[in-house]
Amino acid sequence: MITVDRVRSRSHVVVGSGVAGLTAALGLGDAVVLTKSALGAGSTGWAQGGIAAAVSAGDRPAAHAADTVRVAGGLAVGDVAELVTAAAPDRIRWLVELGARFDRTRDGSLSLGREAGHSRRRIVHADGDATGAELIRVLRDAVRSRPDIEVIEHALAVDLLRAGARIAGVVTIDADGGRTAWMTGSLVLSTGGIGRLYARTTNPPEVTGDGLAMAIRAGVRVGDLEFVQFHPTALAAMLDPLPLLTEALRGEGAKLVTGRGLRYLKSVHADAELAPRDIVARATWQRLAAGDDVFLDATGIPDFSSRFPSVHRLATGAGFDPEGAPMPVTPAAHFHMGGITTDARGRSSAPGLWVCGEAASTGLHGANRLASNSLLEGLAFGARIATDIAGTAMPAPDPRRVTVPIDGLDAGPGDDGIVSAVRGIMWDRVGVERSGKGLGEAVEQLAALGKTAGTVEARTATTVAAAIASAALARPESRGSHFRTDHPDPDEAWARRTQIEHPPVATTPLLGWIARGAA
Ligand code: SIN
């Protein structure tokens, strides 16, 4: 008999320890941070690009917001773009106060990089291309120094607790294999994206869509799931995940060329290599699909190893010499614009649940995210959520009303082989280019796999992948990162975000579950 081994209550429970979750926890106080591996593991620490912020003399948040909206395929929410870009300079100041060491010019001002889709240099970075690592360093230190923030590592969140329409907490499988029911008046999900559901990804192993799966199972509104961003320049090495070759390289002059030396992006977009990411990824994919090899030629960048130490380390570790020769590249799943739908305060459709970071669909990114807006979104929404929760004073849930999904009670952690099958289907049929036929097949295959999923990981992968494939099938047009070969143009009738509430799975009273197990 599977049981809950521990029941605990906290004023605030934060799931996930990337930039968004740690920012929320620092703002909230009196919180527990639950994280599935080590504190700070996950996408944030791997971020190479940086944090977009209008901090230079000639720049304005309004210009940053305009760039954000311009590349987003008509689906960005203007108000959200405005509030996030307006918050950016203050968020950078906050990080500097926490001790972040950003790269600076000789005169002491922030050194600003350029990335695709930005109309000017505005990317704040650290140690060249190791911004995420610096962010995690300062946020982790700040959290560790706070006695009112408890951190539980190696706690895998598996299902949301509900009390009627309200979210009342979360169940974790812990390092010792036991289960804890965490009850709270305010649950913050910051569980990251879904990149690991694709055979080719730049994302670390932790990024498996856990929050999205839990929300779908609880009937919480999710949206824009079809919009998966593929980064155009992952290093085409025999590695999993694929090393990222940051877009900042193209900002410093690196070129994309075919094996015959053709700079193919010149005929695709006026900004060539600095065109919006969806355009560069698709053009690159089409070259590969046509049988060309594609390379990123960064040999013209001076002082490469000191300016891009992370890329240099990753590339040389994989046997490539970025200074000596062009490097082979492929698009790879990188970021999910879709997720758990939130409003501008970070509130989900279910009272008691807030969401931030890549797990959220706030409307900032629309159908295609502007480079280096993701760390910023986590910083901005993590802080907004803390403020919103402080003014909300949600009462603790009544334990007698709390329920937990029945069908997940006996699932344990581990990969039973289903996850790798899911990753292959997603890459082959729900990738850079999709078709109605391929998506229909993916939906069927994923549903069949879902029926046999026996572990939490397999259940999460099949649940989330099926929802993404179905959303892609349901959008018969091309927009931003979502490209349908059978509907290659945008359709004005579809110039809207998608919002879905899946039917919640059946639940059973938490107290009964504990009592049965104890009996
Ligand atoms: C990159 O460094 O190219 C990625 C930055 C981002 O995902 O915004």
Side-chain angles (χ1 to χ4, degrees):
M1 170 70 72
I2 300 286
T3 61
V4 170
D5 302 280
R6 296 167 279 260
V7 178
R8 291 194 56 190
S9 292
R10 280 305 286 245
S11 302
H12 313 302
V13 173
V14 177
V15 186
S17 63
V19 59
L22 296 183
T23 302
L26 288 166
L28 285 164
D30 191 11
V32 61
V33 176
L34 309 172
T35 186
K36 75 191 274 188
S37 53
L39 181 67
S43 290
T44 297
W46 289 34
Q48 293 179 1
I51 306 166
V55 290
S56 70
D59 203 1
R60 294 282 173 276
H64 181 183
D67 288 346
T68 300
V69 170
R70 183 173 42 77
V71 304
L75 297 194
V77 176
D79 292 352
V80 172
E82 277 170 27
L83 68 89
V84 169
T85 54
D90 178 60
R91 295 288 79 202
I92 298 293
R93 273 191 293 276
W94 178 70
L95 288 167
V96 170
E97 278 162 23
L98 282 184
R101 294 186 289 255
F102 292 120
D103 296 334
R104 294 188 178 268
T105 60
R106 282 212 183 94
D107 69 7
S109 58
L110 289 163
S111 158
L112 300 175
R114 172 103 196 260
E115 289 183 4
H118 288 275
S119 52
R120 59 169 60 235
R121 286 187 171 266
R122 63 162 73 94
I123 315 300
V124 178
H125 48 87
D127 198 12
D129 57 3
T131 313
E134 176 64 359
L135 230 60
I136 286 298
R137 183 187 71 78
V138 292
L139 293 172
R140 197 169 42 200
D141 286 356
V143 163
R144 292 261 190 234
S145 72
R146 286 274 296 268
D148 60 337
I149 301 177
E150 182 184 7
V151 175
I152 310 271
E153 296 178 305
H154 306 289
L156 173 66
V158 293
D159 263 313
L160 299 181
L161 298 171
R162 284 159 46 196
R166 183 181 155 188
I167 298 302
V170 67
V171 178
T172 55
I173 300 180
D174 306 323
D176 63 0
R179 290 170 187 244
T180 303
W182 289 93
M183 293 207 265
T184 183
S186 46
L187 178 68
V188 178
L189 287 185
S190 48
T191 45
I194 53 91
R196 293 295 294 185
L197 302 185
Y198 282 85
R200 290 190 205 173
T201 181
T202 60
N203 290 182
E206 290 83 4
V207 184
T208 50
D210 304 355
L212 187 50
M214 291 190 285
I216 289 171
R217 287 162 56 75
V220 178
R221 192 175 307 145
V222 298
D224 294 341
L225 299 186
E226 59 273 38
F227 297 117
V228 177
Q229 183 167 72
F230 296 89
H231 198 290
T233 58
L235 181 64
M238 298 293 287
L239 292 169
D240 179 26
L242 294 171
L244 179 69
L245 304 180
T246 175
E247 201 155 283
L249 295 168
R250 280 175 277 135
E252 296 305 320
K255 306 290 183 240
L256 278 160
V257 291
T258 66
R260 283 167 290 158
L262 178 70
R263 261 187 79 197
Y264 55 94
L265 281 156
K266 277 174 49 171
S267 60
V268 173
H269 194 278
D271 293 333
E273 282 84 0
L274 292 180
R277 192 172 284 179
D278 56 334
I279 292 169
V280 181
R282 198 153 48 248
T284 302
W285 176 249
Q286 286 165 351
R287 282 286 158 183
L288 290 170
D292 283 332
D293 291 322
V294 180
F295 298 87
L296 184 70
D297 185 350
T299 55
I301 299 179
D303 307 322
F304 191 99
S305 59
S306 57
R307 289 170 74 195
F308 295 100
S310 303
V311 172
H312 190 263
R313 178 175 40 79
L314 291 168
T316 52
F320 298 93
D321 173 11
E323 289 162 299
M327 295 173 282
V329 293
T330 173
H334 183 65
F335 186 85
H336 198 197
M337 276 72 72
I340 306 166
T341 310
T342 72
D343 65 13
R345 294 168 295 195
R347 295 183 184 185
S348 75
S349 65
L353 177 65
W354 285 255
V355 191
C356 52
E358 194 175 344
S361 176
T362 64
L364 174 66
H365 311 300
N368 177 53
R369 175 174 66 86
L370 184 67
S372 287
N373 263 359
S374 51
L375 296 177
L376 172 60
E377 184 190 37
L379 288 162
F381 268 90
R384 286 181 79 74
I385 281 176
T387 306
D388 191 48
I389 290 174
T392 307
M394 292 288 283
D398 175 351
R400 289 166 305 180
R401 296 199 59 224
V402 174
T403 61
V404 63
I406 293 169
D407 69 342
L409 294 183
D410 55 355
D415 178 7
D416 48 11
I418 286 182
V419 176
S420 60
V422 168
R423 297 183 73 196
I425 294 167
M426 292 298 279
W427 181 253
D428 291 341
R429 293 181 163 69
V430 198
V432 182
E433 290 193 337
R434 298 125 182 227
S435 70
K437 181 169 174 298
L439 289 168
E441 289 164 1
V443 168
E444 276 178 26
Q445 291 168 338
L446 292 164
L449 282 174
K451 291 200 181 97
T452 62
T455 67
V456 173
E457 278 86 344
R459 189 188 71 189
T460 295
T462 52
T463 301
V464 174
I468 293 172
S470 302
L473 182 61
R475 184 179 278 275
E477 63 149 4
S478 291
R479 183 178 296 278
S481 64
H482 170 69
F483 187 82
R484 290 271 302 254
T485 51
D486 50 345
H487 296 280
D489 298 312
D491 176 350
E492 269 317 289
W494 278 92
R496 55 186 160 82
R497 299 175 62 206
T498 42
Q499 315 264 311
I500 304 161
E501 282 171 26
H502 295 82
V505 297
T507 60
T508 187
L510 175 69
L511 290 184
W513 189 30
I514 297 165
R516 272 204 311 276

